[in-house]
Amino acid sequence: MNDGTISTTHIVRRAGGVAALAAVALVHILDASSKFSETPYLGWAYVVLIAGCLVAAVGIGARNDHRAWALGGVLCAGALL
């Protein structure tokens, strides 16, 4: 929209992105303690993933920065691999 307003679709998309990244971070927070005892390097990878998800979520929610969307996508794809 050219008049400076934000569409409902835009708001829902941003909220969905933030919620998805928060869910990824939460799942890994809950599993992190077991990873540190089993394989410490994976525990530290979880810490990096959690921090990255939180940074991306803030970037999407607060500023809708395209770099935050890219970071979130890369982090989630990396977690799947």
Side-chain angles (χ1 to χ4, degrees), residues 2-81:
N2 292 334
D3 60 358
T5 60
I6 299 175
S7 71
T8 304
T9 305
H10 186 75
I11 292 170
V12 169
R13 192 176 305 140
R14 284 173 67 182
V18 169
L21 287 166
V24 170
L26 178 62
V27 165
H28 288 86
I29 287 170
L30 296 174
D31 193 35
S33 64
S34 67
K35 291 302 173 200
F36 273 111
S37 61
E38 294 171 9
T39 48
Y41 77 91
L42 238 132
W44 288 108
Y46 272 30
V47 170
V48 171
L49 176 66
I50 293 163
C53 283
L54 295 177
V55 166
V58 168
I60 291 169
R63 294 188 279 151
N64 195 31
D65 190 352
H66 68 278
R67 294 172 296 184
W69 282 103
L71 175 62
V74 167
L75 287 170
C76 289
L80 285 174
L81 294 174

